[in-house]
Amino acid sequence: MANPSSLWHTAGRVAQSTGRSLATPSLTSQSTARFSTSAHLCKRKRRATNRDNNPNRGVSSIYRSGPREPLSMSDIPLPRPREFTPKVEVDKDHGLWGFFPRPGTCLMTPEETEKYGRSWTAEELRRKGWEDLHKLWWQCCRERNMLSTSIKELKRSKLGFGQSELEQRDLTVQATMRNIKAVLTERYYTWEDAQAVAAIDPEIDLQAVDGSAYNPGSYVDEFEANEDAWAGNKDALPDAPEFDNPAKEEAKAEKKLQS
């Protein structure tokens, strides 16, 4: 077996013959690092965790907290959305605008919220016809739809005004609708009573189809008999009573005294 020292001397002689040193490695044996100027290889690799050990750093859109470490895209401006407003033609007389104060307006101003009238009384509604009451009823329904939409929007947006005024206004509209129902109920009860009276009246035929439900009897006959008298026919009028003449009575009394 060879001695290690003899092997070292042998290696030294070989190095002297070739001109190389055992202390310095050969330049040809060194491995060079690969270098490229392409964007893919120069891009900084992002580590799994940041320095603060928060993997979700920079993903908050509420607080707008950006990343603490500069990224490869930090200096590149982000694209902005295009300002695009679709042009949609909307009918100004569309029925859905009835849920809002005015077309294109979501809420009323505080001054408009406080301005509203009183409810209709039953005495005023009794003078109205069926068509007027029908229109007023659906106008109240439309008003309640608008008030309900405004109250929902005030609760959602939390503006802090107008909710109590709108609720009081809704109660006023409900009072008008109750009075309308009361007036119509009175008319229905009156119609029922009139039907009950007509059912026992011999001059009224409720089963008539041609429209001659009312058939008057002796009253019409008497009126037709005296129609000529009321028209001014003197022959038909009864004779007027003859009243005594005071002058003739005095003359008769004097003749009796003289005789």
Side-chain angles (χ1 to χ4, degrees):
M1 185 175 181
N3 191 3
S5 61
S6 61
L7 293 175
W8 175 258
H9 291 297
T10 304
R13 291 177 182 178
V14 173
Q16 288 178 1
S17 62
T18 56
R20 296 177 181 178
S21 175
L22 296 177
T24 59
S26 175
L27 293 176
T28 57
S29 62
Q30 292 181 356
S31 61
T32 59
R34 185 175 58 176
F35 179 76
S36 176
T37 57
S38 62
H40 177 70
L41 297 178
C42 289
K43 184 177 180 181
R44 181 178 296 177
K45 296 182 180 180
R46 187 174 182 179
R47 294 179 295 180
T49 57
N50 294 331
R51 295 178 182 176
D52 55 355
N53 295 325
N54 186 3
N56 295 325
R57 178 63 61 191
V59 298
S60 176
S61 60
I62 299 177
Y63 300 101
R64 299 182 181 180
S65 57
R68 294 186 178 181
E69 296 181 2
L71 304 177
S72 60
M73 305 294 291
S74 297
D75 297 334
I76 299 176
L78 297 177
R80 296 182 179 180
R82 192 178 66 153
E83 296 181 359
F84 173 71
T85 303
K87 296 181 180 180
V88 180
E89 296 182 359
V90 181
D91 187 7
K92 294 183 179 180
D93 297 331
H94 198 279
L96 291 179
W97 287 121
F99 289 84
F100 301 94
R102 290 182 303 275
T105 304
C106 183
L107 290 173
M108 293 183 291
T109 61
E111 292 78 9
E112 293 175 348
T113 304
E114 297 176 356
K115 292 180 180 180
Y116 62 93
R118 59 173 179 84
S119 61
W120 286 75
T121 61
E123 290 77 8
E124 295 171 342
L125 296 174
R126 289 191 184 100
R127 304 174 185 175
K128 301 295 182 180
W130 166 255
E131 295 294 335
D132 295 336
L133 294 178
H134 186 267
K135 293 178 182 179
L136 183 58
W137 174 269
W138 287 111
Q139 186 65 29
C140 291
C141 292
R142 185 175 181 178
E143 184 76 9
R144 292 201 65 194
N145 289 335
M146 185 271 294
L147 294 175
S148 179
T149 304
S150 301
I151 292 174
K152 290 288 186 181
E153 182 63 22
L154 287 175
K155 291 181 179 179
R156 185 192 65 83
S157 56
K158 298 180 181 180
L159 297 179
F161 72 91
Q163 183 173 351
S164 60
E165 289 82 357
L166 293 180
E167 291 176 353
Q168 186 64 32
R169 185 171 180 174
D170 189 20
L171 295 177
T172 303
V173 177
Q174 293 183 36
T176 299
M177 299 179 75
R178 283 195 301 269
N179 292 334
I180 293 175
K181 293 175 67 176
V183 171
L184 294 178
T185 304
E186 291 177 357
R187 294 182 181 180
Y188 179 73
Y189 289 160
T190 305
W191 177 76
E192 282 188 338
D193 296 341
Q195 266 198 333
V197 173
I200 61 177
D201 193 343
E203 296 182 351
I204 298 177
D205 184 13
L206 296 178
Q207 305 298 330
V209 181
D210 55 352
S212 58
Y214 180 61
N215 298 317
S218 61
Y219 175 76
V220 175
D221 297 337
E222 293 177 359
F223 179 79
E224 290 178 353
N226 297 327
E227 186 176 4
D228 296 335
W230 291 104
N233 190 355
K234 296 182 180 180
D235 298 335
L237 290 175
D239 296 334
E242 294 182 358
F243 296 98
D244 296 334
N245 192 349
K248 291 182 179 181
E249 294 294 336
E250 291 179 0
K252 290 179 180 180
E254 289 178 356
K255 288 180 180 180
K256 289 181 179 181
L257 292 176
Q258 291 176 1
S259 62

